[in-house]
Amino acid sequence: MIPYGTGRPLLTPVDQDGARRSARLRILGLGERADASFDSFDAFADRVAEVTATPFSIVNFIDENRQFFAGLHTPAGIRDGADLAAAATVGSRYLARDHGYCPHVLVRRKALVLEDVCDYPRFAGNPVVDGIGIRSYLGAPLIDRTGVALGTVCAVDTVPRAWGRAGLDTIKLLAREIVVQIERREASSP
């Protein structure tokens, strides 16, 4: 862990692959802004929420500085992220790089299951716990054909959840599905 100037430990892991990922996201046209071409990511986030029965789900691309919610499902159904305002920039789909658990998944390159984030001191103090009320997290990395972890797909809840092995298998399967969509998108672009 790297200390902040205040002596408080930095809980977000150091990302050694950030520059490579950012370059790959630019090539793919992902991670910068939401437009009509991102509707499929929103639809996929809706599907993740339905399959996992969670109030929030996200297809998240992470560059060196921030997270971008290309696909977003929220309880209120607001696509611009306004109902994440306590943790995100109001009216946007961006979140600071050190908020949430997706940066951990990205660096680990493995799925992460947190049945109750408050059971883990490293995760309990994350700004999304108080800002959004997140108590449970299930996420998997989006690793493309080049081996770059582009981001994550995740499902989160405001109550503790016993995800179990079935939840882990489900989020891994969903991650593979969205990677296939990203690769098809790349193959069909001019």
Side-chain angles (χ1 to χ4, degrees), residues 30-46 57-63 65-74 77-85 87-97 99 102 132 152 185:
L30 301 172
E32 295 190 14
R33 63 179 171 32
D35 57 32
S37 69
F38 281 77
D39 289 348
S40 64
F41 292 124
D42 282 336
F44 194 83
D46 290 342
S57 63
I58 302 166
V59 176
N60 189 9
F61 297 116
I62 304 171
D63 67 18
N65 304 307
R66 63 186 177 185
Q67 302 176 64
F68 172 63
F69 302 154
L72 179 62
H73 175 92
T74 66
I78 300 171
R79 296 290 189 191
D80 68 359
D83 47 349
L84 301 176
T89 304
V90 177
S92 76
R93 289 180 177 232
Y94 297 97
L95 188 64
R97 177 80 172 63
H99 284 47
C102 291
I132 303 172
T152 64
R185 176 186 165 112

Side-chain angles (χ1 to χ4, degrees), residues 86-185:
T89 304
V90 177
S92 76
R93 289 180 177 232
Y94 297 97
L95 188 64
R97 177 80 172 63
D98 62 348
H99 284 47
Y101 311 107
C102 291
H104 296 272
V105 171
L106 191 73
V107 171
R108 292 167 29 119
R109 298 175 59 90
K110 295 191 315 189
L112 177 63
V113 178
L114 299 171
E115 294 184 344
D116 186 343
V117 299
C118 293
D119 288 344
Y120 304 89
R122 177 178 191 160
F123 299 121
N126 196 287
V128 297
V129 175
D130 292 331
I132 303 172
I134 302 304
R135 286 292 302 272
S136 185
Y137 175 90
L138 179 65
L142 304 176
I143 301 173
D144 80 348
R145 65 176 176 74
T146 68
V148 173
L150 303 171
T152 64
V153 61
C154 69
V156 295
D157 207 334
T158 56
V159 296
R161 294 278 300 264
W163 299 107
R165 183 68 193 189
L168 179 64
D169 291 343
T170 297
I171 203 68
K172 287 177 170 181
L173 178 63
L174 290 165
R176 282 192 293 274
E177 285 182 34
I178 196 66
V179 167
V180 167
Q181 284 186 24
I182 292 166
E183 291 172 349
R184 283 186 189 141
R185 176 186 165 112

